[in-house]
Structure formats: structure tokens, C-alpha cells
Amino acid sequence: MNMENPAATVAEDATEDFAALFEAQEAKTVRLQAGQKVTGTVIEITADAVLVDVGSKVDGVMDRKDILDAEGQEIVKAGDTLDAWVVAVKAHEIRLSRSASGSGVAALEDARDAGLPVDGRVTATCKGGFTVDVMGKRAFCPGSQMDIAQAEAESVVGRTLQFLITKVESYGRNIVVSRRALLERERRETLAKVLEEVHAGDVVEGRITRLAPFGAFMEIAPAVEGMIHISELSWARIARPEDAVSVGDTVQAKILSIAEDAKGNTRISLSCKQAAGDPWADVEGRLAAGSVVEGRVVRLTPFGAFVEVLPGVEGLVHISEMSWSKRVVKAEDVLHVNDVVSVKIKDISLEKRRISLSLRDAEGDPWAEVATTFPVGAVVTGEVESQSKFGVFVTLAPSITGLLPMGIIKTSKKADLTKLQKGDSVTLVIQNVDVAARRISLAPEGYEAPAAAPRREREDSSWKEHTSAGAGGMNIMANALQAALSRKSK
């Protein structure tokens, strides 16, 4: 402070404060120009005008008829916000309009020059586009200029939309309009605001607007879309975008990148699955080895089938884990894509992100209780499964098959055994059970083995012949027998 002249010091401080306030006010002042779209707050509605605060030093003025609906009722009131276009900027006045209006070629040219949108009613389709009534005159809108995406005639004919006038020639006899140009202009303005607020890595919410073979488009702000590639729609394996989302769905997505392409267009890449999080993150708490779960077959391979047990979490059913009763050569002989099956979890490796599954273990080992269910000496009734030169195979229970050797048939006193056919019912006695080898030997009731050859040797011979013949449904049993015979020969 100037102690010799306090009044001068106060004046200097006041000048500095005023300058600071003026500078702050200037910083807040919006610079407007004709053709610019603005959002303002209605200050007052008079008999013939509407005053709007658009952030400038001068309030905007709009004709009252601009806020009237078809029945003459005001669609806004004081305090409401509305969107408008700047028609003209003068020292003491900013003229606003919700769209260009008037009639005559001059009004059309003014709207074209100022870049103001005009209301147009799409009346019909014509060669190459649409016929549009604008300010009392007929205009042409090329098909490619009706929308950013291709527009269906049924969706626009009969509607009143806003357009930009791109050409006025021959005293108004040749007028061309474009709705796409207006939408793209609005998109650029909105995009600029969006890019100030969001960045790669952010999670945004939006609406699915359209689908394509390669993915889905999501609107994250009016007229601003991002693309979700099909591989980023879901952690689950999907063949089509519509398997994951539908048009109109509201979803969350993570912004992967924001970049410009060679044409200068901004491309926003999104991911729904990354917004949802890694599905393997909570596998340990939801799945456990030894449990039986339900899943969907998502793909088949030469070595097995992949089953989705949680969204985005798949496990492998190896071909050797598909059946107890038969040797599976191709996975498609047992399973099909989209089948819903029960599988048992054999092993989980979180580090390798691998889950081993078993289809047959989920059903339970049919041989687990065989020794109890079919004890030696028990009389059983089964159905003939197949017949060959070395014996008759009889199904005793699902996946449980026993052999009535040909040697026993020939030495038996029951002649009807030689006439057995596939599907016949037959009553026999359990002679021997080998759970490890998964085989059961059968004989007719009252049968006594001759002393010429040990029973075990004759049974092994019959099973060995069955193995070499490759009878379906007995390969597991045959493989075990072959190993036993190999050990015996040594």
C-alpha cells in the first residue's frame, strides 16, 4: 500500500479487481457465429418472442412461433433448456431459430449459405433417392444422404425431418438437400465434447443401434457410435453378434482405443467382455475338482469336445472320457454343438486356464457295483447284443455286457442256445466276474464245464477272438484282456 497516498492505492486495487472480473467474464463468454447450434436456457417468453441465455453477453432472441406445437401450445417454459441454431449475430442481437423458415428462393439460399437446417417432409421415393417438400418447394435428397447408415424407405416416407440445403439452382427448380450432412455435423460437435470427457480404458454405457456380421455398434452419445467386434462382445464363444446382444439393448463397454483412420474419421473400439471382467477371476470359488456341473458343447475337435461350464470358461472332454460302453472314434458320434450335458470336473489348472472334464464320470462308472449287482452264481436275464463264431454277447444292464462263449454253447445240453438271435431274451448264470478287465463270463443254468480244458483258458480265448474281431461296445474290456494276455505270455 502507498502510505503517502492511500486513495491512489485503493483506486489501483479497484482497477485490478475490475480487470480481473472483466477478463473472467470474457473467458466465459461464448463466441457465436451464424449456422452454429447452441443450447440455451429460456429467460422469458413474450407475446411474440422468446429470450434465451446462450452464454453470450447478448441474449438470444427467437420468434415465439418457433416454440409452438401443431396445436399452438408452447412446448417450453421459462427455465427450460432448448437447442437452437444461430441465424445472425449482431452487436446488440443474436437471432435464433429452431430451423430455417420462410418461403421463396431467397430464403432457401439464405439457409444454404448460413448452414441452417430446414424442416422437410419426405413425401415419396424416386429414382436415386427421395422427394422432400421444403419451404413450399420440392427438393431431392439422394438415397445416400438420407442417413449416415442406409435408410429404409418405409422408415422415412411421410415423416418431417431436418435437412441442410446443399444446392439451389435454376431459380429454385433444382434443390438438393442432405440429412446426412446435418447428422454428421451434429456428430462432429458431439464427438468433440465426448472426446474431452472419455478416454481409452473408461467404461461407458450405451445402446446397441445396429448389428453387422463382424460385430455391433453402440451409441455412447447422440450420433456418436463405437464398434464392438464380435470377439469382444462376450467371453463366451459366439458365432453371430445376435447371439450376445440385440438392437435396443443397453450395455456397458470398455473403450479399447480412440483413433483416426486414413480418411480422418474417428474410430472408437469397445469391448463388452472386458467391461464385465475376466471370467477366470472367480473360477476357483465357483468350480471345484470332483463336482458335476452342466455345460454347453461349443465346439468339437478330433481329440474331444469343448464344453462351456461358465460364460467364457471352457473345459475339454477328451475323447477317451466320453463313454464307458464303447470306444468313441469321433466326438460327433456322441455329442453335437449346443448340446447341454452334465460333466464331471477332473482337474482345474488356473495357471494354464485349463479344465479337464469327463462325460462318462458324470454318469457314473457302470462297473463300480458290478461285483455286488452280478455276483458269481447269480441267475440273470439279458438281451442278446450280438452273435459271432466265438460266442454270444448279452447285455445285462446299460453298459454291462457279458459273454456266453461258443465253447460253452457247443458243450451245453441246451440246443436252443445255438438259435439265439440279436434281441432275444435269455436267462443265464454268472460264471466269472473280472471288474479290472471289465468282463463277465456267462453259462446256461446247470452247466458243468468238461475236464478237457481249463475254463479260464477257454474264456480268454473267446474274449481274445472278440477283441480281434473288433465288436462294438467291448473295446475297453478287450483292451484290458489284451494287456492281461500279453503279461501272461511273458
Side-chain angles (χ1 to χ4, degrees):
M1 179 180 289
N2 187 341
M3 300 303 296
E4 296 180 358
N5 191 351
T9 300
V10 172
E12 289 174 2
D13 291 343
T15 301
E16 290 177 359
D17 289 343
F18 179 78
L21 290 172
F22 182 78
E23 184 176 343
Q25 183 64 30
E26 283 292 306
K28 294 180 181 179
T29 300
V30 177
R31 306 291 182 182
L32 302 178
Q33 57 185 2
Q36 182 177 346
K37 186 178 182 180
V38 295
T39 299
T41 303
V42 177
I43 300 173
E44 182 183 359
I45 301 175
T46 67
D48 56 3
V50 180
L51 298 181
V52 183
D53 178 5
V54 292
S56 178
K57 289 192 255 183
V58 180
D59 292 332
V61 180
M62 178 189 297
D63 287 340
R64 181 174 174 272
K65 65 181 181 180
D66 252 5
I67 64 166
L68 302 181
D69 59 18
E71 298 177 355
Q73 300 296 316
E74 295 175 355
I75 61 174
V76 295
K77 62 182 183 299
D80 289 348
T81 60
L82 56 74
D83 293 332
W85 299 90
V86 178
V87 178
V89 178
K90 300 179 181 178
H92 303 291
E93 182 182 65
I94 299 174
R95 296 295 302 176
L96 303 175
S97 175
R98 295 186 66 205
S99 66
S101 59
S103 60
V105 175
L108 292 169
E109 291 176 338
D110 288 344
R112 177 200 61 194
D113 297 341
L116 295 177
V118 296
D119 289 335
R121 185 173 183 275
V122 184
T123 57
T125 59
C126 61
K127 184 178 180 179
F130 301 86
T131 301
V132 184
D133 281 349
V134 177
M135 293 185 179
K137 294 187 175 293
R138 188 173 68 175
F140 170 69
C141 178
S144 62
Q145 296 300 308
M146 181 55 73
D147 207 332
I148 294 176
Q150 177 134 10
E152 298 293 334
E154 297 78 9
S155 66
V156 294
V157 172
R159 293 176 60 190
T160 298
L161 305 168
Q162 288 196 321
F163 299 84
L164 289 180
I165 298 174
T166 58
K167 184 185 293 185
V168 179
E169 296 178 343
S170 303
Y171 301 100
R173 289 191 293 272
N174 181 20
I175 305 170
V176 180
V177 297
S178 172
R179 181 167 174 259
R180 177 172 181 166
L182 178 61
L183 294 176
E184 288 181 338
R185 188 171 77 181
E186 292 178 346
R187 180 183 181 278
R188 288 192 297 271
E189 294 172 354
T190 306
L191 179 61
K193 295 178 182 178
V194 169
L195 296 182
E196 292 177 358
E197 299 171 357
V198 301
H199 306 86
D202 291 347
V203 175
V204 295
E205 187 173 271
R207 182 177 62 88
I208 301 297
T209 54
R210 52 197 173 101
L211 303 178
F214 51 82
F217 289 87
M218 185 181 101
E219 186 180 59
I220 61 177
V224 177
E225 290 181 336
M227 199 276 285
I228 311 169
H229 191 268
I230 188 171
S231 62
E232 295 293 336
L233 279 170
S234 173
W235 286 105
R237 193 180 300 274
I238 60 174
R240 307 171 304 166
E242 48 265 43
D243 293 337
V245 293
S246 300
V247 172
D249 287 352
T250 298
V251 299
Q252 288 190 328
K254 183 177 181 179
I255 299 177
L256 299 180
S257 64
I258 301 174
E260 287 191 358
D261 61 16
K263 297 181 179 179
N265 298 316
T266 300
R267 304 295 187 187
I268 303 176
S269 297
L270 305 170
S271 173
C272 282
K273 73 179 189 181
Q274 294 195 33
D278 185 353
W280 280 85
D282 59 351
V283 162
E284 189 174 14
R286 300 179 65 181
L287 300 176
S291 61
V292 176
V293 297
E294 196 172 79
R296 181 176 64 90
V297 178
V298 292
R299 58 193 172 107
L300 304 177
T301 70
F303 51 84
F306 285 90
V307 177
E308 185 180 59
V309 291
L310 290 175
V313 178
E314 299 174 6
L316 171 67
V317 180
H318 191 268
I319 201 167
S320 63
E321 295 290 336
M322 289 190 173
S323 176
W324 285 111
S325 61
K326 62 182 179 180
R327 180 174 178 271
V328 180
V329 178
K330 296 185 296 182
E332 49 264 40
D333 292 339
V334 178
L335 299 172
H336 301 88
V337 173
N338 290 326
D339 282 353
V340 176
V341 295
S342 291
V343 289
K344 186 173 183 178
I345 299 175
K346 295 177 71 69
D347 182 60
I348 299 175
S349 174
L350 295 177
E351 296 77 16
K352 297 180 180 179
R353 296 194 171 209
R354 291 178 182 173
I355 300 178
S356 298
L357 304 173
S358 175
L359 189 65
R360 67 182 191 178
D361 283 357
E363 298 172 351
D365 185 355
W367 282 82
E369 304 296 330
V370 160
T372 303
T373 309
F374 300 102
V376 174
V379 178
V380 294
T381 298
E383 181 180 300
V384 175
E385 178 184 297
S386 62
Q387 188 180 49
S388 67
K389 64 181 180 180
F390 48 84
V392 175
F393 286 91
V394 180
T395 299
L396 305 178
S399 302
I400 305 296
T401 301
L403 172 65
L404 175 61
M406 186 58 70
I408 292 179
I409 294 174
K410 289 179 178 180
T411 58
S412 173
K413 297 178 181 179
K414 295 187 177 183
D416 57 342
L417 293 178
T418 61
K419 300 178 182 179
L420 289 174
Q421 300 293 323
K422 183 177 180 179
D424 288 349
S425 178
V426 60
T427 300
L428 301 166
V429 176
I430 304 293
Q431 270 213 320
N432 184 60
V433 177
D434 188 339
V435 175
R438 292 181 179 264
R439 69 182 188 181
I440 297 175
S441 296
L442 304 169
E445 292 183 85
Y447 174 76
E448 292 184 7
R455 185 180 65 185
R456 180 76 177 183
E457 181 181 335
R458 294 196 303 277
E459 289 174 356
D460 283 350
S461 176
S462 298
W463 284 104
K464 184 176 181 181
E465 290 183 48
H466 177 56
T467 303
S468 63
M474 300 301 298
N475 291 283
I476 296 174
M477 193 182 303
N479 289 341
L481 176 61
Q482 186 64 49
L485 289 175
S486 298
R487 290 194 298 272
K488 184 176 180 181
S489 64
K490 294 178 181 178

